[in-house]
Structure formats: C-alpha cells, structure tokens
Amino acid sequence: MKKLDISVIPGDGIGKEVVPEALRVLDTIAKVHGGLTLNYTHYPWSSEYYVEHGKMMPDNGLDLLSQSDAIFLGAVGDPSLVKDHISLGGLLLKIRREFEQVINIRPAKQIKGIVSPLTNPRDFDIMIVRENSEGEYSSSGGRVHHGIDEIVVQNSIFTKKAVSRVMEYAFELARKRNGHLTSATKSNGIVHSMPFWDDVLAEVSQNYKDIPTKSEHIDALSAFFITKPHTLDVVVASNLFGDILSDIGAAIMGSIGIAPAGNINLNGKYPSMFEPVHGSAPDIYGKGIANPVGQIWTAKMMLDHFDEMEMGTVLLHAIEQTLQSGIKTPDIGGNSNTTEVTDAIIAKIEELA
Ligand SMILES: NC(=O)C1=CN([C@@H]2O[C@H](COP(=O)(O)OP(=O)(O)OC[C@H]3O[C@@H](n4cnc5c(N)ncnc54)[C@H](O)[C@@H]3O)[C@@H](O)[C@H]2O)C=CC1
Ligand SMILES: CC(=O)C(=O)O
Ligand SMILES: [K+]
Ligand SMILES: [Mn+2]
C-alpha cells in the first residue's frame, strides 16, 4: 500500500469551493486504485486567518507542511480583507520560496470538450516552465520618503544558479517530449538581467545541441501564443513572464478556470506544491459556479508527480468525457455548477477504471 500525506490549503475565495471537490475526486481515485492511501491534513490559512491572527500562517506553519509529501493548494488572496502583497507574500510565495520550489510547470494544451476562443487553434500543446524562486518577484527593494518625494526601488534578482537550473529543466523536458525550446526574453528593453538570461541560455544549450532552441522577446511571444500556439512546445520564462504567459495559455485553452500547475522542489528537501493557475476569483465566489477542472487537473499533476501516471490518465479522460458530454460551468459555456461537474467526473472515473 502506497501512502501519501497531503497538506491541504484551500486558501481564499473559490479555493474553498474547488479544493473540497478535487479531494472528492482524489478519494475516488484512491478507491478505484486499491493500493493508494491519501491522508489529508487541512490547514485553514487564508486572508480570514490573517484577520484573526495577524499572520497568514502560524510561526511553525512551514514545519507543519514540511512533514507532508505534497501540498495541495487552492488560491490565496482576498483584497477586501488583506492587501494582496501581504496575503500572497505571507503564504503562497513564502511556501514557493522557502521550500525551494524553484520550477513552476504549467501546461497549456487543447483538451477535448472545450472550445478555444481562437478561430483556428490547431492542436497546440505547450508546457510553460517558469522560474519560480526569484526574478521579478523578489522582496529586494523598498519605499522611502513620502508624498511627492517618495522613491521606490524594486529589484529583480537573477542568479546563475536559478537561471541555469530552470533552463536545464526545460531542455530536459523538451528532450523527453521530442520537442523544442523557446526562451522568453526582453533583452532589448531590460538591459542587464535579460542579456544575462540570454547568455545563460546560450551556455546551457551547449549541452543540448539536439534540441532546437530559439529566443523570442516577450511581447512578440505573447502574440504568438494567440496567432500560432501550435508552433510552440516547451517555453522557458522568468517568474513574471511565465506568470503572464500561463494566463494567456489558460485563456487560449478556453478558460483560466481549467489550467493546472505544479510548483516543483527539485532537491527533495521539501514537498512540492500543486495549485491551479487561477486565483480566488472574488467576482464569482459564493455562487457555486467556479470551474473545478483546474483544481482537478492539478490533482492529476500531483498524481503524475508520484508516478501514478495511470490514474492521472484516467482522471484526464474523465475530465474530457465529462466536458464533451456538455456538463460544464458557465465560464466555458455550460450551465452546470461546481458540484454537478465534479459528480460527473467522479461517475466517469468509476466507469473508466
Ligand atoms: N496562485 C494564486 O493563489 C493566485 C492568487 N491570485 C489572487 O486572486 C485574487 C483575484 O485575482 P484575479 O486577478 O481576479 O485573478 P483570478 O484568477 O482569481 O480571476 C480572473 C478571472 O477568471 C475567473 N476565474 C478564475 N478562476 C476561475 C474558475 N475556476 N472558474 C471560473 N472562472 C474563474 C474569475 O472569475 C475572474 O473573472 C487576487 O487576490 C489575486 O492576488 C491571483 C492569481 C493567482
Ligand atoms: C501569483 C500568481 O499570479 C501566480 O503565481 O500565478
Ligand atoms: K492558485
Ligand atoms: Mn498568475
């Protein structure tokens, strides 16, 4: 019997709606698998927790999480209660950084049953590999003086170690997919860090001469995600560029509500964290119509991470067949609610397994 201890953090907004649904799906997977036990430990850390305790998680929060095999998170952020840089900084980004989850992988590919907003999407299948520990999302900087004299400095941090690491990961993935690599740059405008990024790419690519590689400026690349996504395969990007590209990737799939992601720790010292690309969606929270597919597909990524590929495949088929049967939430043109979609996916898993 394989046993996995999962820390569960629904977080804010629709995270609280889609995480319990995805756990029902995971329970079904464990049941049909027969040799897999999933133990959940639930943590209520969120913006509401902050209002009560003055912090996003307790002081020993990271210690508690470090005891699990993986973290399954919904979304963080409720700007009506706590400013976003405090809430995300004190929980989501803290975990990514402290647990050295240095890579963020975010697939964007056509799945059956969802119509892309593109007129001619072709059969795109992109994997965004985002640097997840530094870059533009750094706490280096500050604000001094007040009023008209106020000065703000926000530093981007790019280290040889992290940049070469994310590129190696992306090259390895491209090799595994028999694909090619596109690097997102902006060396025509950001004159220190991005030429450095390009230099590291050139250096690392020496070890991957079999992988076709090119570099595109982020502005043009953003357009290519819309005009010719089928020409892209693995895309390696800095923290900010990868964040933006992955929302575009989600949009061309059909909705940000279906896109999954994994924050991967490579050195085995800490657990990896799985969470969908989307945020807490305050505009639809409480209506019961959040698309659960992003969180459920994220569960598949977590199963894949633990080499439960077969179960992951069953799960993706169940998602696709459910959507193809027309059971979907309003963001992708349906009129089912969160629970109805999840129920249908669960029934499909039981049928397929
Ligand atoms: N990783 C995380 O936890 C993230 C957290 N956030 C936080 O979430 C809050 C809201 O941010 P936004 O910029 O509005 O981004 P968002 O991703 O929460 O929402 C953007 C749009 O997509 C829709 N949407 C998102 N997920 C959906 C789903 N599962 N089903 C149907 N529709 C869905 C929303 O209704 C909204 O119209 C903020 O506090 C923000 O900082 C934002 C992005 C990522
Ligand atoms: C914070 C955010 O938007 C993301 O990680 O996707
Ligand atoms: K999220
Ligand atoms: Mn984002």
mmCIF file of all heavy atoms in Angstrom, residues 25-26 28-29 32 111-114 291-293 296-297 300 303 309-328 340-353:
data_model
loop_
_atom_site.group_PDB
_atom_site.id
_atom_site.type_symbol
_atom_site.label_atom_id
_atom_site.label_comp_id
_atom_site.label_asym_id
_atom_site.label_seq_id
_atom_site.Cartn_x
_atom_site.Cartn_y
_atom_site.Cartn_z
ATOM 1 N N VAL A 25 -12.642 13.877 -5.746
ATOM 2 C CA VAL A 25 -12.141 13.164 -6.924
ATOM 3 C C VAL A 25 -10.928 12.312 -6.548
ATOM 4 O O VAL A 25 -10.828 11.137 -6.933
ATOM 5 C CB VAL A 25 -11.778 14.165 -8.050
ATOM 6 C CG1 VAL A 25 -11.096 13.444 -9.203
ATOM 7 C CG2 VAL A 25 -13.023 14.907 -8.531
ATOM 8 N N LEU A 26 -10.024 12.892 -5.762
ATOM 9 C CA LEU A 26 -8.842 12.130 -5.338
ATOM 10 C C LEU A 26 -9.241 10.912 -4.511
ATOM 11 O O LEU A 26 -8.641 9.834 -4.649
ATOM 12 C CB LEU A 26 -7.893 13.028 -4.537
ATOM 13 C CG LEU A 26 -6.957 13.907 -5.375
ATOM 14 C CD1 LEU A 26 -6.271 14.955 -4.492
ATOM 15 C CD2 LEU A 26 -5.899 13.061 -6.106
ATOM 16 N N THR A 28 -11.923 9.212 -4.849
ATOM 17 C CA THR A 28 -12.430 8.211 -5.802
ATOM 18 C C THR A 28 -11.262 7.502 -6.483
ATOM 19 O O THR A 28 -11.279 6.276 -6.652
ATOM 20 C CB THR A 28 -13.309 8.904 -6.875
ATOM 21 O OG1 THR A 28 -14.276 9.713 -6.207
ATOM 22 C CG2 THR A 28 -13.999 7.884 -7.754
ATOM 23 N N ILE A 29 -10.255 8.288 -6.864
ATOM 24 C CA ILE A 29 -9.063 7.699 -7.484
ATOM 25 C C ILE A 29 -8.422 6.678 -6.543
ATOM 26 O O ILE A 29 -8.076 5.562 -6.952
ATOM 27 C CB ILE A 29 -8.037 8.816 -7.834
ATOM 28 C CG1 ILE A 29 -8.532 9.673 -9.000
ATOM 29 C CG2 ILE A 29 -6.659 8.241 -8.111
ATOM 30 C CD1 ILE A 29 -8.412 9.035 -10.356
ATOM 31 N N VAL A 32 -10.583 3.468 -6.465
ATOM 32 C CA VAL A 32 -10.508 2.572 -7.628
ATOM 33 C C VAL A 32 -9.093 2.011 -7.804
ATOM 34 O O VAL A 32 -8.904 0.939 -8.363
ATOM 35 C CB VAL A 32 -10.978 3.248 -8.948
ATOM 36 C CG1 VAL A 32 -12.410 3.742 -8.825
ATOM 37 C CG2 VAL A 32 -10.062 4.373 -9.379
ATOM 38 N N ILE A 111 -7.849 20.615 -24.699
ATOM 39 C CA ILE A 111 -8.447 19.391 -24.183
ATOM 40 C C ILE A 111 -9.846 19.234 -24.775
ATOM 41 O O ILE A 111 -10.497 20.204 -25.126
ATOM 42 C CB ILE A 111 -8.402 19.285 -22.642
ATOM 43 C CG1 ILE A 111 -9.332 20.254 -21.958
ATOM 44 C CG2 ILE A 111 -7.010 19.463 -22.108
ATOM 45 C CD1 ILE A 111 -9.518 19.865 -20.492
ATOM 46 N N LYS A 112 -10.229 17.983 -24.885
ATOM 47 C CA LYS A 112 -11.497 17.689 -25.559
ATOM 48 C C LYS A 112 -12.677 18.266 -24.764
ATOM 49 O O LYS A 112 -12.667 18.243 -23.544
ATOM 50 C CB LYS A 112 -11.674 16.175 -25.717
ATOM 51 C CG LYS A 112 -10.606 15.530 -26.576
ATOM 52 C CD LYS A 112 -10.971 14.084 -26.920
ATOM 53 C CE LYS A 112 -9.844 13.399 -27.666
ATOM 54 N NZ LYS A 112 -9.028 12.539 -26.781
ATOM 55 N N GLY A 113 -13.654 18.748 -25.468
ATOM 56 C CA GLY A 113 -14.859 19.216 -24.794
ATOM 57 C C GLY A 113 -14.837 20.694 -24.463
ATOM 58 O O GLY A 113 -15.807 21.214 -23.924
ATOM 59 N N ILE A 114 -13.722 21.364 -24.766
ATOM 60 C CA ILE A 114 -13.666 22.807 -24.519
ATOM 61 C C ILE A 114 -13.280 23.517 -25.807
ATOM 62 O O ILE A 114 -12.330 23.125 -26.491
ATOM 63 C CB ILE A 114 -12.636 23.156 -23.431
ATOM 64 C CG1 ILE A 114 -13.072 22.541 -22.110
ATOM 65 C CG2 ILE A 114 -12.507 24.673 -23.289
ATOM 66 C CD1 ILE A 114 -12.300 23.031 -20.930
ATOM 67 N N ASN A 291 -15.327 26.840 -11.868
ATOM 68 C CA ASN A 291 -14.937 25.645 -12.619
ATOM 69 C C ASN A 291 -13.964 24.817 -11.762
ATOM 70 O O ASN A 291 -12.892 25.298 -11.408
ATOM 71 C CB ASN A 291 -14.254 26.079 -13.926
ATOM 72 C CG ASN A 291 -14.170 24.957 -14.934
ATOM 73 O OD1 ASN A 291 -14.150 23.788 -14.556
ATOM 74 N ND2 ASN A 291 -14.123 25.305 -16.203
ATOM 75 N N PRO A 292 -14.308 23.569 -11.457
ATOM 76 C CA PRO A 292 -13.415 22.762 -10.627
ATOM 77 C C PRO A 292 -12.305 22.080 -11.430
ATOM 78 O O PRO A 292 -11.433 21.423 -10.864
ATOM 79 C CB PRO A 292 -14.357 21.716 -10.025
ATOM 80 C CG PRO A 292 -15.390 21.496 -11.092
ATOM 81 C CD PRO A 292 -15.551 22.831 -11.800
ATOM 82 N N VAL A 293 -12.362 22.219 -12.763
ATOM 83 C CA VAL A 293 -11.449 21.429 -13.614
ATOM 84 C C VAL A 293 -9.983 21.803 -13.390
ATOM 85 O O VAL A 293 -9.111 20.932 -13.367
ATOM 86 C CB VAL A 293 -11.852 21.559 -15.108
ATOM 87 C CG1 VAL A 293 -10.780 20.983 -16.020
ATOM 88 C CG2 VAL A 293 -13.181 20.852 -15.351
ATOM 89 N N ILE A 296 -8.935 20.047 -10.339
ATOM 90 C CA ILE A 296 -8.950 18.585 -10.530
ATOM 91 C C ILE A 296 -7.805 18.155 -11.452
ATOM 92 O O ILE A 296 -7.132 17.145 -11.209
ATOM 93 C CB ILE A 296 -10.336 18.140 -11.060
ATOM 94 C CG1 ILE A 296 -11.409 18.389 -9.983
ATOM 95 C CG2 ILE A 296 -10.329 16.665 -11.465
ATOM 96 C CD1 ILE A 296 -12.850 18.191 -10.451
ATOM 97 N N TRP A 297 -7.566 18.938 -12.497
ATOM 98 C CA TRP A 297 -6.421 18.635 -13.383
ATOM 99 C C TRP A 297 -5.105 18.794 -12.596
ATOM 100 O O TRP A 297 -4.135 18.046 -12.778
ATOM 101 C CB TRP A 297 -6.471 19.564 -14.607
ATOM 102 C CG TRP A 297 -5.510 19.253 -15.722
ATOM 103 C CD1 TRP A 297 -4.500 18.326 -15.734
ATOM 104 C CD2 TRP A 297 -5.461 19.885 -17.022
ATOM 105 N NE1 TRP A 297 -3.833 18.355 -16.940
ATOM 106 C CE2 TRP A 297 -4.404 19.301 -17.745
ATOM 107 C CE3 TRP A 297 -6.209 20.903 -17.628
ATOM 108 C CZ2 TRP A 297 -4.076 19.700 -19.048
ATOM 109 C CZ3 TRP A 297 -5.884 21.292 -18.930
ATOM 110 C CH2 TRP A 297 -4.820 20.690 -19.622
ATOM 111 N N LYS A 300 -4.326 15.695 -10.972
ATOM 112 C CA LYS A 300 -3.662 14.770 -11.898
ATOM 113 C C LYS A 300 -2.154 15.036 -11.937
ATOM 114 O O LYS A 300 -1.350 14.106 -11.922
ATOM 115 C CB LYS A 300 -4.233 14.888 -13.316
ATOM 116 C CG LYS A 300 -3.437 14.080 -14.344
ATOM 117 C CD LYS A 300 -3.634 14.587 -15.763
ATOM 118 C CE LYS A 300 -2.514 14.317 -16.730
ATOM 119 N NZ LYS A 300 -1.702 13.138 -16.637
ATOM 120 N N LEU A 303 -0.692 13.461 -8.961
ATOM 121 C CA LEU A 303 -0.597 12.001 -9.111
ATOM 122 C C LEU A 303 0.580 11.649 -10.025
ATOM 123 O O LEU A 303 1.349 10.723 -9.741
ATOM 124 C CB LEU A 303 -1.898 11.439 -9.683
ATOM 125 C CG LEU A 303 -3.118 11.494 -8.760
ATOM 126 C CD1 LEU A 303 -4.394 11.170 -9.531
ATOM 127 C CD2 LEU A 303 -2.949 10.529 -7.581
ATOM 128 N N MET A 309 0.915 7.585 -12.972
ATOM 129 C CA MET A 309 0.551 8.075 -14.313
ATOM 130 C C MET A 309 -0.771 7.480 -14.801
ATOM 131 O O MET A 309 -1.560 8.154 -15.447
ATOM 132 C CB MET A 309 1.633 7.715 -15.337
ATOM 133 C CG MET A 309 3.019 8.156 -14.960
ATOM 134 S SD MET A 309 3.137 9.941 -15.016
ATOM 135 C CE MET A 309 4.867 10.154 -14.630
ATOM 136 N N GLU A 310 -0.944 6.197 -14.479
ATOM 137 C CA GLU A 310 -2.136 5.522 -14.979
ATOM 138 C C GLU A 310 -3.400 6.185 -14.430
ATOM 139 O O GLU A 310 -4.356 6.449 -15.159
ATOM 140 C CB GLU A 310 -2.072 4.061 -14.527
ATOM 141 C CG GLU A 310 -2.775 3.100 -15.440
ATOM 142 C CD GLU A 310 -2.590 1.677 -14.924
ATOM 143 O OE1 GLU A 310 -1.428 1.255 -14.701
ATOM 144 O OE2 GLU A 310 -3.611 1.008 -14.710
ATOM 145 N N MET A 311 -3.358 6.492 -13.137
ATOM 146 C CA MET A 311 -4.508 7.149 -12.503
ATOM 147 C C MET A 311 -4.677 8.568 -13.057
ATOM 148 O O MET A 311 -5.798 9.041 -13.251
ATOM 149 C CB MET A 311 -4.303 7.197 -10.979
ATOM 150 C CG MET A 311 -4.561 5.876 -10.315
ATOM 151 S SD MET A 311 -6.297 5.381 -10.492
ATOM 152 C CE MET A 311 -6.154 3.837 -11.325
ATOM 153 N N GLY A 312 -3.545 9.218 -13.313
ATOM 154 C CA GLY A 312 -3.601 10.559 -13.889
ATOM 155 C C GLY A 312 -4.269 10.546 -15.253
ATOM 156 O O GLY A 312 -5.071 11.431 -15.584
ATOM 157 N N THR A 313 -3.959 9.518 -16.033
ATOM 158 C CA THR A 313 -4.555 9.401 -17.372
ATOM 159 C C THR A 313 -6.061 9.155 -17.264
ATOM 160 O O THR A 313 -6.849 9.772 -17.985
ATOM 161 C CB THR A 313 -3.875 8.239 -18.142
ATOM 162 O OG1 THR A 313 -2.466 8.517 -18.163
ATOM 163 C CG2 THR A 313 -4.386 8.153 -19.562
ATOM 164 N N VAL A 314 -6.456 8.267 -16.358
ATOM 165 C CA VAL A 314 -7.898 8.019 -16.139
ATOM 166 C C VAL A 314 -8.600 9.324 -15.782
ATOM 167 O O VAL A 314 -9.663 9.660 -16.311
ATOM 168 C CB VAL A 314 -8.096 6.981 -14.996
ATOM 169 C CG1 VAL A 314 -9.556 6.920 -14.562
ATOM 170 C CG2 VAL A 314 -7.597 5.611 -15.428
ATOM 171 N N LEU A 315 -7.958 10.083 -14.924
ATOM 172 C CA LEU A 315 -8.543 11.340 -14.457
ATOM 173 C C LEU A 315 -8.737 12.326 -15.613
ATOM 174 O O LEU A 315 -9.797 12.945 -15.754
ATOM 175 C CB LEU A 315 -7.635 11.925 -13.364
ATOM 176 C CG LEU A 315 -8.070 13.146 -12.596
ATOM 177 C CD1 LEU A 315 -9.555 13.150 -12.333
ATOM 178 C CD2 LEU A 315 -7.323 13.203 -11.279
ATOM 179 N N LEU A 316 -7.722 12.447 -16.467
ATOM 180 C CA LEU A 316 -7.838 13.389 -17.584
ATOM 181 C C LEU A 316 -8.917 12.944 -18.572
ATOM 182 O O LEU A 316 -9.693 13.759 -19.070
ATOM 183 C CB LEU A 316 -6.479 13.565 -18.285
ATOM 184 C CG LEU A 316 -6.395 14.763 -19.241
ATOM 185 C CD1 LEU A 316 -6.723 16.072 -18.535
ATOM 186 C CD2 LEU A 316 -5.010 14.864 -19.872
ATOM 187 N N HIS A 317 -8.986 11.631 -18.815
ATOM 188 C CA HIS A 317 -10.044 11.129 -19.692
ATOM 189 C C HIS A 317 -11.426 11.431 -19.104
ATOM 190 O O HIS A 317 -12.349 11.805 -19.818
ATOM 191 C CB HIS A 317 -9.892 9.623 -19.919
ATOM 192 C CG HIS A 317 -8.785 9.288 -20.877
ATOM 193 N ND1 HIS A 317 -8.113 8.095 -20.858
ATOM 194 C CD2 HIS A 317 -8.221 10.016 -21.876
ATOM 195 C CE1 HIS A 317 -7.190 8.095 -21.810
ATOM 196 N NE2 HIS A 317 -7.240 9.256 -22.430
ATOM 197 N N ALA A 318 -11.536 11.248 -17.794
ATOM 198 C CA ALA A 318 -12.830 11.510 -17.140
ATOM 199 C C ALA A 318 -13.206 12.989 -17.270
ATOM 200 O O ALA A 318 -14.372 13.328 -17.510
ATOM 201 C CB ALA A 318 -12.766 11.098 -15.665
ATOM 202 N N ILE A 319 -12.216 13.854 -17.142
ATOM 203 C CA ILE A 319 -12.477 15.296 -17.311
ATOM 204 C C ILE A 319 -12.961 15.559 -18.737
ATOM 205 O O ILE A 319 -13.993 16.201 -18.961
ATOM 206 C CB ILE A 319 -11.203 16.131 -17.028
ATOM 207 C CG1 ILE A 319 -10.821 16.074 -15.545
ATOM 208 C CG2 ILE A 319 -11.399 17.581 -17.475
ATOM 209 C CD1 ILE A 319 -9.472 16.728 -15.214
ATOM 210 N N GLU A 320 -12.213 15.034 -19.711
ATOM 211 C CA GLU A 320 -12.547 15.316 -21.115
ATOM 212 C C GLU A 320 -13.929 14.771 -21.480
ATOM 213 O O GLU A 320 -14.725 15.449 -22.134
ATOM 214 C CB GLU A 320 -11.470 14.726 -22.041
ATOM 215 C CG GLU A 320 -10.145 15.485 -21.949
ATOM 216 C CD GLU A 320 -9.123 15.050 -22.991
ATOM 217 O OE1 GLU A 320 -8.988 13.824 -23.217
ATOM 218 O OE2 GLU A 320 -8.464 15.927 -23.581
ATOM 219 N N GLN A 321 -14.218 13.547 -21.022
ATOM 220 C CA GLN A 321 -15.504 12.955 -21.394
ATOM 221 C C GLN A 321 -16.671 13.684 -20.738
ATOM 222 O O GLN A 321 -17.742 13.813 -21.327
ATOM 223 C CB GLN A 321 -15.509 11.464 -21.046
ATOM 224 C CG GLN A 321 -14.573 10.688 -21.985
ATOM 225 C CD GLN A 321 -14.560 9.190 -21.695
ATOM 226 O OE1 GLN A 321 -15.491 8.650 -21.113
ATOM 227 N NE2 GLN A 321 -13.496 8.526 -22.106
ATOM 228 N N THR A 322 -16.435 14.172 -19.539
ATOM 229 C CA THR A 322 -17.474 14.955 -18.863
ATOM 230 C C THR A 322 -17.757 16.240 -19.634
ATOM 231 O O THR A 322 -18.913 16.588 -19.901
ATOM 232 C CB THR A 322 -17.027 15.298 -17.420
ATOM 233 O OG1 THR A 322 -16.853 14.077 -16.718
ATOM 234 C CG2 THR A 322 -18.040 16.174 -16.712
ATOM 235 N N LEU A 323 -16.692 16.930 -20.015
ATOM 236 C CA LEU A 323 -16.866 18.189 -20.749
ATOM 237 C C LEU A 323 -17.500 17.934 -22.115
ATOM 238 O O LEU A 323 -18.376 18.680 -22.556
ATOM 239 C CB LEU A 323 -15.513 18.899 -20.909
ATOM 240 C CG LEU A 323 -14.827 19.295 -19.592
ATOM 241 C CD1 LEU A 323 -13.427 19.834 -19.851
ATOM 242 C CD2 LEU A 323 -15.657 20.332 -18.831
ATOM 243 N N GLN A 324 -17.069 16.841 -22.762
ATOM 244 C CA GLN A 324 -17.637 16.506 -24.078
ATOM 245 C C GLN A 324 -19.135 16.216 -23.994
ATOM 246 O O GLN A 324 -19.868 16.448 -24.943
ATOM 247 C CB GLN A 324 -16.912 15.294 -24.671
ATOM 248 C CG GLN A 324 -15.616 15.663 -25.355
ATOM 249 C CD GLN A 324 -14.889 14.431 -25.898
ATOM 250 O OE1 GLN A 324 -14.660 13.478 -25.159
ATOM 251 N NE2 GLN A 324 -14.551 14.441 -27.172
ATOM 252 N N SER A 325 -19.551 15.698 -22.824
ATOM 253 C CA SER A 325 -20.977 15.395 -22.669
ATOM 254 C C SER A 325 -21.784 16.658 -22.372
ATOM 255 O O SER A 325 -22.994 16.606 -22.189
ATOM 256 C CB SER A 325 -21.178 14.357 -21.556
ATOM 257 O OG SER A 325 -20.981 14.970 -20.301
ATOM 258 N N GLY A 326 -21.102 17.803 -22.287
ATOM 259 C CA GLY A 326 -21.801 19.078 -22.128
ATOM 260 C C GLY A 326 -21.972 19.520 -20.684
ATOM 261 O O GLY A 326 -22.554 20.569 -20.412
ATOM 262 N N ILE A 327 -21.454 18.704 -19.747
ATOM 263 C CA ILE A 327 -21.555 19.097 -18.343
ATOM 264 C C ILE A 327 -20.377 20.009 -18.021
ATOM 265 O O ILE A 327 -19.240 19.547 -17.876
ATOM 266 C CB ILE A 327 -21.567 17.848 -17.431
ATOM 267 C CG1 ILE A 327 -22.742 16.956 -17.829
ATOM 268 C CG2 ILE A 327 -21.660 18.265 -15.960
ATOM 269 C CD1 ILE A 327 -22.786 15.629 -17.108
ATOM 270 N N LYS A 328 -20.635 21.302 -17.992
ATOM 271 C CA LYS A 328 -19.577 22.273 -17.731
ATOM 272 C C LYS A 328 -20.104 23.536 -17.091
ATOM 273 O O LYS A 328 -21.301 23.816 -17.146
ATOM 274 C CB LYS A 328 -18.802 22.584 -19.015
ATOM 275 C CG LYS A 328 -19.604 22.675 -20.291
ATOM 276 C CD LYS A 328 -18.642 22.917 -21.467
ATOM 277 C CE LYS A 328 -19.147 22.308 -22.754
ATOM 278 N NZ LYS A 328 -18.278 22.509 -23.896
ATOM 279 N N GLU A 340 -22.032 19.664 -9.729
ATOM 280 C CA GLU A 340 -22.526 18.791 -10.808
ATOM 281 C C GLU A 340 -21.378 18.325 -11.705
ATOM 282 O O GLU A 340 -21.317 17.159 -12.111
ATOM 283 C CB GLU A 340 -23.585 19.528 -11.651
ATOM 284 C CG GLU A 340 -24.917 19.673 -10.924
ATOM 285 C CD GLU A 340 -25.839 20.745 -11.514
ATOM 286 O OE1 GLU A 340 -25.405 21.529 -12.395
ATOM 287 O OE2 GLU A 340 -26.994 20.808 -11.075
ATOM 288 N N VAL A 341 -20.455 19.236 -12.007
ATOM 289 C CA VAL A 341 -19.306 18.863 -12.841
ATOM 290 C C VAL A 341 -18.467 17.814 -12.114
ATOM 291 O O VAL A 341 -18.073 16.791 -12.689
ATOM 292 C CB VAL A 341 -18.451 20.101 -13.207
ATOM 293 C CG1 VAL A 341 -17.176 19.690 -13.926
ATOM 294 C CG2 VAL A 341 -19.261 21.073 -14.075
ATOM 295 N N THR A 342 -18.215 18.063 -10.829
ATOM 296 C CA THR A 342 -17.393 17.108 -10.061
ATOM 297 C C THR A 342 -18.081 15.749 -9.977
ATOM 298 O O THR A 342 -17.426 14.708 -10.171
ATOM 299 C CB THR A 342 -17.143 17.648 -8.638
ATOM 300 O OG1 THR A 342 -16.694 19.000 -8.736
ATOM 301 C CG2 THR A 342 -16.093 16.817 -7.919
ATOM 302 N N ASP A 343 -19.373 15.753 -9.706
ATOM 303 C CA ASP A 343 -20.120 14.479 -9.623
ATOM 304 C C ASP A 343 -19.980 13.698 -10.924
ATOM 305 O O ASP A 343 -19.777 12.473 -10.916
ATOM 306 C CB ASP A 343 -21.610 14.743 -9.364
ATOM 307 C CG ASP A 343 -21.886 15.165 -7.924
ATOM 308 O OD1 ASP A 343 -20.979 15.004 -7.078
ATOM 309 O OD2 ASP A 343 -22.997 15.664 -7.653
ATOM 310 N N ALA A 344 -20.074 14.421 -12.046
ATOM 311 C CA ALA A 344 -19.988 13.748 -13.347
ATOM 312 C C ALA A 344 -18.586 13.182 -13.579
ATOM 313 O O ALA A 344 -18.435 12.073 -14.103
ATOM 314 C CB ALA A 344 -20.357 14.731 -14.461
ATOM 315 N N ILE A 345 -17.571 13.924 -13.163
ATOM 316 C CA ILE A 345 -16.193 13.426 -13.330
ATOM 317 C C ILE A 345 -15.994 12.174 -12.473
ATOM 318 O O ILE A 345 -15.406 11.179 -12.915
ATOM 319 C CB ILE A 345 -15.168 14.537 -12.975
ATOM 320 C CG1 ILE A 345 -15.225 15.649 -14.040
ATOM 321 C CG2 ILE A 345 -13.753 13.967 -12.862
ATOM 322 C CD1 ILE A 345 -14.411 16.895 -13.721
ATOM 323 N N ILE A 346 -16.516 12.197 -11.261
ATOM 324 C CA ILE A 346 -16.390 11.035 -10.366
ATOM 325 C C ILE A 346 -17.086 9.812 -10.976
ATOM 326 O O ILE A 346 -16.532 8.705 -10.989
ATOM 327 C CB ILE A 346 -16.962 11.375 -8.968
ATOM 328 C CG1 ILE A 346 -15.992 12.326 -8.251
ATOM 329 C CG2 ILE A 346 -17.216 10.116 -8.142
ATOM 330 C CD1 ILE A 346 -16.496 12.900 -6.945
ATOM 331 N N ALA A 347 -18.288 10.030 -11.516
ATOM 332 C CA ALA A 347 -19.018 8.911 -12.129
ATOM 333 C C ALA A 347 -18.217 8.346 -13.308
ATOM 334 O O ALA A 347 -18.152 7.132 -13.507
ATOM 335 C CB ALA A 347 -20.397 9.381 -12.587
ATOM 336 N N LYS A 348 -17.603 9.231 -14.082
ATOM 337 C CA LYS A 348 -16.797 8.788 -15.231
ATOM 338 C C LYS A 348 -15.587 7.968 -14.783
ATOM 339 O O LYS A 348 -15.245 6.959 -15.403
ATOM 340 C CB LYS A 348 -16.281 10.004 -16.018
ATOM 341 C CG LYS A 348 -17.251 10.527 -17.046
ATOM 342 C CD LYS A 348 -17.282 9.640 -18.303
ATOM 343 C CE LYS A 348 -18.345 10.154 -19.254
ATOM 344 N NZ LYS A 348 -19.226 9.146 -19.794
ATOM 345 N N ILE A 349 -14.942 8.425 -13.708
ATOM 346 C CA ILE A 349 -13.769 7.681 -13.209
ATOM 347 C C ILE A 349 -14.191 6.268 -12.834
ATOM 348 O O ILE A 349 -13.522 5.287 -13.187
ATOM 349 C CB ILE A 349 -13.144 8.378 -11.975
ATOM 350 C CG1 ILE A 349 -12.534 9.722 -12.377
ATOM 351 C CG2 ILE A 349 -12.077 7.498 -11.324
ATOM 352 C CD1 ILE A 349 -12.139 10.599 -11.204
ATOM 353 N N GLU A 350 -15.325 6.164 -12.142
ATOM 354 C CA GLU A 350 -15.793 4.842 -11.716
ATOM 355 C C GLU A 350 -16.120 3.960 -12.908
ATOM 356 O O GLU A 350 -15.899 2.756 -12.888
ATOM 357 C CB GLU A 350 -16.980 5.000 -10.754
ATOM 358 C CG GLU A 350 -16.479 5.465 -9.389
ATOM 359 C CD GLU A 350 -17.564 5.881 -8.403
ATOM 360 O OE1 GLU A 350 -18.679 6.200 -8.860
ATOM 361 O OE2 GLU A 350 -17.277 5.889 -7.192
ATOM 362 N N GLU A 351 -16.599 4.604 -13.977
ATOM 363 C CA GLU A 351 -16.945 3.883 -15.202
ATOM 364 C C GLU A 351 -15.671 3.425 -15.943
ATOM 365 O O GLU A 351 -15.602 2.306 -16.442
ATOM 366 C CB GLU A 351 -17.737 4.860 -16.068
ATOM 367 C CG GLU A 351 -18.469 4.305 -17.252
ATOM 368 C CD GLU A 351 -19.116 5.473 -18.025
ATOM 369 O OE1 GLU A 351 -19.827 6.303 -17.401
ATOM 370 O OE2 GLU A 351 -18.862 5.564 -19.236
ATOM 371 N N LEU A 352 -14.660 4.314 -15.976
ATOM 372 C CA LEU A 352 -13.446 4.047 -16.762
ATOM 373 C C LEU A 352 -12.483 3.084 -16.074
ATOM 374 O O LEU A 352 -11.755 2.343 -16.729
ATOM 375 C CB LEU A 352 -12.689 5.359 -17.038
ATOM 376 C CG LEU A 352 -13.337 6.370 -17.983
ATOM 377 C CD1 LEU A 352 -12.570 7.698 -17.960
ATOM 378 C CD2 LEU A 352 -13.378 5.826 -19.410
ATOM 379 N N ALA A 353 -12.473 3.123 -14.738
ATOM 380 C CA ALA A 353 -11.426 2.386 -14.011
ATOM 381 C C ALA A 353 -11.710 0.888 -13.975
ATOM 382 O O ALA A 353 -12.833 0.463 -14.088
ATOM 383 C CB ALA A 353 -11.302 2.925 -12.597
#
